[in-house]
Amino acid sequence: MVPISQAWTVASYVAVQKFIKGRKRYPLVLMLEPLFRCNLACAGCGKIQYPDHVLSKRLTPQQCFDAVEECGAPMVSIPGGEPLIHPEIKEIVDGLVARKKYIYLCTNALLLKRKLDLFTPSKYLTFSIHLDGLKENHDTAVCRDGTYDTAVEAIKEAVKRGFRVCTNTTLFNHANPAEVREFFDVAMDMGVEGMMLSPGYIYEKAPDQQGFLHRDTSKQLFKQILDQPKKSWKFNLSPLFLKFLQGDFDFECTPWGSPAYNIFGWQKPCYLLQDGYVKTFKEYMEDTDWDSYGNKSDNPKCQDCMVHCGFEPSAVDATFGSWSGFLATAKATLTA
Ligand code: SF4
Ligand code: SF4
């Protein structure tokens, strides 16, 4: 579970955006991609298929800070590529902590244990560890043996040193619900604060096109996985998003809720799709044709998407943006 201070920051931010500033669209989590290069090549990844000269580029700390200031979101997720490869990742994290942003540093953890000394435990910093299941499933998903053991070792060390740690699991159509539930037990036993879950986005560039879940199969799978959840399981996701994954609650995506910034600029419309780039956040918000996206649009690239970067902001907006959403969240929490 996220700390009260973070929940309060997010709730008050949403209230100010909606009820005081009257903004119809506002960012919640900046997806700050400082580089695309990675030390793995997972079968379901759509982020690393760039030519070498692009993979060699990265954002400077100042570019990261400028994007964060421009966007104004209270939370910053740092995916990649692998952010721990970035030679100035310490400066980037320190600068964001100084700005009181809640950071989720997403990592496959291969380098984490070695690089932990760079960082200081803080309520603002969470390591979000890519772990797609138990040993065999995870190593298969990331296409390298031994990765699970390395990640687990790093998680235990980070927890021992007082860092906030959560797991980040992407599920594909070969997932076995019983094994995923067993994985939840193992992850919680490692002392993580919570778990994040999402179906994989159907990246056209990903090498394994057969493994992706579609909307109906996603809902069936998550229903089986999350049925009668154990009290010991903690998720770093809003209860309404978990209901959405199971098909029990429906909302449209809010791509502007998790805007993405990388070496090309602000990516339209979301972290998953690349329909062009603009130089400023203002242009991104004002010039994107939002009606062309989402499940209710006729955009084929959106039809099967249930990914958390598109729908978790919708869940948060629903939770804190109205009494009915708040009550639905309370009910989802109590019946979980
Ligand atoms: S660890 Fe993440 S960024 Fe790296 S290849 Fe795998 S999915 Fe892509
Ligand atoms: S449905 Fe998914 S892919 Fe389409 S805009 Fe929303 S988040 Fe992006």
Side-chain angles (χ1 to χ4, degrees):
M1 301 287 276
V2 300
I4 302 263
S5 62
Q6 181 175 335
W8 173 252
T9 299
V10 171
S12 48
Y13 169 84
V14 172
V16 167
Q17 299 301 312
K18 282 182 80 89
F19 304 120
I20 296 179
K21 296 190 175 173
R23 292 175 80 182
K24 189 175 159 200
R25 301 189 180 100
Y26 57 88
L28 191 65
V29 185
L30 168 61
M31 307 294 287
L32 181 67
E33 297 177 280
L35 81 176
F36 293 119
R37 191 178 288 285
C38 190
N39 47 3
L40 282 177
C42 306
C45 182
K47 290 283 176 182
I48 54 170
Q49 291 79 8
Y50 289 101
D52 205 52
H53 72 276
V54 172
L55 293 176
S56 298
K57 287 189 180 161
R58 48 187 188 250
L59 294 175
T60 65
Q62 192 57 52
Q63 284 175 306
C64 294
F65 304 149
D66 291 346
V68 165
E69 302 282 353
E70 208 187 333
C71 173
M75 293 184 279
V76 181
S77 177
I78 309 181
E82 170 53 52
L84 292 180
I85 289 178
H86 196 300
E88 291 158 304
I89 191 64
K90 173 185 165 46
E91 287 74 14
I92 294 171
V93 168
D94 287 350
L96 299 186
V97 169
R99 286 166 176 77
K100 300 193 172 170
K101 298 295 178 184
Y102 286 94
I103 308 160
Y104 285 85
L105 196 156
C106 307
T107 174
N108 57 38
L110 291 185
L111 296 171
L112 183 58
K113 195 173 171 193
R114 217 184 312 158
K115 298 219 170 187
L116 266 182
D117 285 341
L118 293 177
F119 306 101
T120 309
S122 161
K123 69 175 181 180
Y124 293 110
L125 173 61
T126 304
F127 291 113
S128 174
I129 313 289
H130 175 174
L131 213 48
D132 285 347
L134 293 170
K135 187 179 169 75
E136 194 184 330
N137 278 339
H138 179 71
D139 285 355
T140 303
V142 303
C143 306
R144 193 188 296 177
D145 287 345
T147 308
Y148 177 87
D149 290 338
T150 308
V152 166
E153 214 180 298
I155 289 173
K156 289 181 177 169
E157 183 65 22
V159 168
K160 194 170 91 185
R161 293 203 202 177
F163 287 98
R164 292 181 63 191
V165 181
C166 65
T167 52
N168 190 354
T169 303
T170 305
L171 293 180
F172 299 92
N173 63 13
H174 46 70
N176 175 318
E179 284 178 11
V180 178
R181 292 172 69 93
E182 193 187 337
F183 165 70
F184 291 166
D185 291 336
V186 172
M188 293 312 304
D189 281 349
M190 283 187 247
V192 300
E193 171 183 298
M195 304 177 285
M196 295 195 213
L197 281 181
S198 183
Y201 179 70
I202 307 179
Y203 284 114
E204 287 170 354
K205 293 186 212 155
D208 178 11
Q209 290 292 311
Q210 307 308 315
F212 289 115
L213 288 158
H214 295 267
R215 260 207 159 209
D216 287 350
T217 45
S218 283
K219 289 178 190 170
Q220 285 164 15
L221 177 68
F222 283 99
K223 194 73 167 167
Q224 289 173 288
I225 291 171
L226 296 168
D227 185 44
Q228 299 187 3
K230 294 188 183 173
K231 292 284 175 215
S232 56
W233 297 349
K234 307 283 179 227
F235 294 97
N236 271 29
L237 294 166
S238 58
L240 286 192
F241 178 70
L242 293 172
K243 289 285 175 196
F244 165 76
L245 286 178
Q246 298 169 77
D248 294 339
F249 204 92
D250 197 21
F251 28 60
E252 188 49 282
C253 85
T254 50
W256 55 84
S258 304
Y261 184 78
N262 56 43
I263 57 165
F264 299 119
W266 294 95
Q267 181 170 307
K268 298 201 300 183
C270 67
Y271 174 69
L272 307 163
L273 291 185
Q274 291 168 285
D275 276 357
Y277 293 87
V278 285
K279 281 196 180 142
T280 67
F281 182 68
K282 189 167 183 291
E283 284 173 86
Y284 164 79
M285 289 300 264
E286 292 177 0
D287 298 349
T288 305
D289 179 13
W290 298 115
D291 291 341
S292 300
Y293 302 103
N295 297 137
K296 293 192 179 68
S297 74
D298 56 6
N299 191 328
K301 292 176 181 168
C302 292
Q303 297 315 304
D304 282 310
C305 177
M306 297 182 82
V307 179
H308 60 51
C309 66
F311 293 88
E312 170 73 3
S314 316
V316 173
D317 184 74
T319 300
F320 295 118
S322 66
W323 273 113
S324 58
F326 190 76
L327 291 174
T329 301
K331 190 173 162 213
T333 307
L334 291 171
T335 55

